[in-house]
Amino acid sequence: MGNLFCCVQVEQSTVAIKENFGRFEKVLQPGCHCMPWFLGKQLAGHLSLRLQQLDLRCETKTKDNVFVTVVASIQYRALAEKANDAFYKLSNTKTQIQAYVFDVIRASVPKLNLDDAFEQKNEIARAVEEELEKAMSAYGYEIVQTLIVDIDPDEHVKRAMNEINAAARLRVAANEKAEAEKILLIKRAEGEAESKYLSGLGIARQRQAIVDGLRDSVLGFSVNVPGTTAKDVMDMVLVTQYFDTMKEIGAASKSSAVFIPHGPGAVRDVATQIRDGLLQASHQ
């Protein structure tokens, strides 16, 4: 019906190419246009101005000889002011873009190791975008955005990378655990040393107090009981302490002790036996 009345309609975000006897005449903007076909006017076709996206998968290898698949997304659109170039100069836009993308990726990625390729995805995308922008602007297209969506190595390589990462983390964990155990042992040893030091101080003070008490007892007894010697007083004190010790051992319900030799019928020799026992213990 439109051809019958010499009218054509151009949709929004689209331009149309008008020809006159097969020669380009003008670009028709969205709206209704007169197209007198009997005067040689005709519509060559339509060109979309909408943003388009092309997803590509390019296989290449890195500097350390690992084959990877690089997934790129190219966002582009035709320029309204260069619609005639975009319509006439390229027969297959997507194929042309793909050729440039593959060329840049296969020139950039082989210069990088696998780890560096992951870290420099933005640099690869920028290189692709610059090359595409320079090439496609001559054909009436604008490159809006170039994204390196993914770098996918072989499955065996990914498994090996995961194992390396896991081993490194286990090594760090083992070092941290060993360091913690080392600190625990050091602190425990320091605590035991401090405990033994304080215990030694206590024993030394206890023995000093016993010696001071015995000295005071000997001196007091010698003054109050004339004719007694220091040896007599010491014998009596030793016997008294001996029986006090025997009493404490007997009062304990579950006690085991190794004591100096003792004969029940020779109580008067207890002091001698105590001294003999002390001497035996010191020799052993």
Side-chain angles (χ1 to χ4, degrees):
M1 184 67 68
N3 291 334
L4 181 62
F5 293 100
C6 301
C7 293
V8 295
Q9 178 179 321
V10 180
E11 301 292 338
Q12 184 64 34
S13 299
T14 306
V15 293
I17 305 300
K18 181 180 179 181
E19 294 180 344
N20 184 14
F21 290 107
R23 181 179 180 181
F24 170 74
E25 181 174 329
K26 66 181 296 187
V27 176
L28 302 181
Q29 301 297 323
C32 184
H33 299 272
C34 180
M35 189 71 64
W37 54 269
F38 52 87
L39 297 178
K41 310 294 183 180
Q42 63 178 353
L43 197 66
H46 293 79
L47 180 68
S48 175
L49 301 180
R50 293 179 181 178
L51 184 67
Q52 302 181 62
Q53 178 166 313
L54 176 62
D55 295 325
L56 301 172
R57 299 178 64 88
C58 175
E59 186 179 20
T60 183
K61 78 178 186 69
T62 61
K63 186 177 181 180
D64 45 357
N65 295 320
V66 177
F67 279 88
V68 295
T69 300
V70 180
V71 182
S73 292
I74 313 299
Q75 298 174 354
Y76 66 98
R77 65 186 171 195
L79 297 173
E81 60 273 17
K82 294 184 177 181
N84 58 327
D85 291 335
F87 186 82
Y88 287 107
K89 287 187 176 182
L90 286 180
S91 60
N92 193 325
T93 306
K94 292 184 177 181
T95 302
Q96 186 74 17
I97 292 176
Q98 176 178 312
Y100 281 111
V101 172
F102 280 16
D103 181 65
V104 176
I105 290 177
R106 287 173 177 165
S108 301
V109 175
K111 299 177 182 178
L112 305 172
N113 291 325
L114 181 60
D115 293 339
D116 296 334
F118 279 100
E119 295 175 1
Q120 299 183 28
K121 287 199 307 180
N122 292 336
E123 284 74 7
I124 298 173
R126 191 177 300 113
V128 173
E129 184 173 346
E130 290 176 356
E131 185 67 23
L132 281 177
E133 184 68 31
K134 185 168 51 178
M136 298 304 294
S137 60
Y139 300 107
Y141 282 91
E142 176 190 10
I143 304 301
V144 178
Q145 184 73 35
T146 300
L147 302 173
I148 300 298
V149 180
D150 191 18
I151 297 178
D152 187 20
D154 183 77
E155 188 65 31
H156 297 291
V157 176
K158 289 194 287 186
R159 189 179 301 114
M161 293 174 65
N162 290 333
E163 291 177 356
I164 292 172
N165 186 271
R169 292 181 180 274
L170 288 175
R171 184 168 61 252
V172 172
N175 289 335
E176 293 295 332
K177 183 179 179 181
E179 190 66 25
E181 291 178 352
K182 174 184 174 182
I183 294 173
L184 184 62
L185 290 174
I186 291 174
K187 292 298 182 182
R188 185 179 298 148
E190 290 177 352
E192 290 178 356
E194 186 69 17
S195 175
K196 290 178 181 179
Y197 172 73
L198 295 176
S199 176
L201 288 179
I203 293 173
R205 290 173 181 174
Q206 179 188 20
R207 290 177 178 174
Q208 184 63 41
I210 292 173
V211 170
D212 292 342
L214 289 175
R215 184 181 64 248
D216 294 340
S217 297
V218 170
L219 292 176
F221 198 86
S222 299
V223 172
N224 294 325
V225 183
T228 59
T229 63
K231 179 179 180 304
D232 296 333
V233 178
M234 281 298 300
D235 290 342
M236 185 183 67
V237 172
L238 288 173
V239 171
T240 303
Q241 288 186 339
Y242 170 76
F243 281 109
D244 289 341
T245 304
M246 294 294 290
K247 180 180 178 181
E248 291 178 2
I249 293 174
S253 59
K254 296 180 179 179
S255 61
S256 59
V258 178
F259 204 68
I260 59 177
H262 173 63
V267 178
R268 62 184 178 180
D269 294 331
V270 167
T272 303
Q273 293 180 22
I274 291 173
R275 285 193 296 271
D276 294 341
L278 292 173
L279 290 173
Q280 292 176 9
S282 65
H283 287 310
Q284 291 177 356

